[in-house]
Amino acid sequence: MSEQTKNVESAGGNAGAFPKPDTRLLRAHVFAKHDLIPLHRPNDQRQGRPLGKAPRDSNWQRRSYAGQDPTSWMSEGFNVGVRLTMEQLVVDVDPRRYGGVDELAEFARRFSIRLGDFPIVHSGSGGRHVYMK
């Protein structure tokens, strides 16, 4: 699998306002056959608290989304999340906390992990999510 196929383009500063969803950001997830679920819209709130990264449906842990199109969720303004299985892990990388050191590279070196072997999604804030199994 090529690096281009596995890595998704950066959200390009879309953190916050999402005027037009970029469904290309789902390619790595679709290719990796991740179980995608709808999340709340970025600006949704409940009792003054943001819900943008919370699952939209109360029964999301058991509900089947088979046959649904996550790009349509994005077109309707919803965020899209990945429902992980017991065999999956996401390494959430936030470079704002590095203090000048690339801790992801150090993590990969320490555990002999080839990061190019895993789908990586680049977030709008400059972070990365590394999806492992």
Side-chain angles (χ1 to χ4, degrees):
M1 177 185 327
S2 75
E3 199 68 25
Q4 181 181 13
T5 303
K6 290 191 306 190
N7 291 330
V8 175
E9 298 109 28
S10 168
N14 269 350
F18 294 93
K20 183 178 180 204
D22 186 354
T23 57
R24 294 176 300 165
L25 298 173
L26 295 178
R27 278 191 248 164
H29 295 298
V30 171
F31 189 81
K33 296 183 172 49
H34 289 151
D35 191 6
L36 301 177
I37 62 171
L39 305 179
H40 281 278
R41 291 180 175 97
N43 296 322
D44 283 353
Q45 293 188 4
R46 181 178 298 135
Q47 297 177 340
R49 293 180 43 216
L51 296 172
K53 293 184 179 182
R56 180 189 70 186
D57 303 316
S58 60
N59 60 344
W60 66 272
Q61 297 96 331
R62 294 173 299 283
R63 181 176 174 159
S64 172
Y65 294 97
Q68 294 190 31
D69 180 13
T71 59
S72 69
W73 302 334
M74 287 182 79
S75 297
E76 295 170 20
F78 291 98
N79 280 327
V80 177
V82 177
R83 180 169 43 193
L84 299 177
T85 67
M86 295 298 288
E87 296 83 30
Q88 294 173 319
L89 166 74
V90 175
V91 177
D92 186 351
V93 181
D94 185 352
R96 296 172 292 189
R97 301 180 191 264
Y98 281 177
V101 176
D102 187 347
E103 293 182 9
L104 179 60
E106 175 60 23
F107 169 79
R109 185 196 62 74
R110 177 184 269 173
F111 294 101
S112 301
I113 295 170
R114 291 180 6 178
L115 293 172
D117 289 346
F118 302 97
I120 298 174
V121 175
H122 298 264
S123 70
S125 63
R128 292 171 281 179
H129 296 163
V130 183
Y131 288 81
M132 302 176 144
K133 186 171 184 178

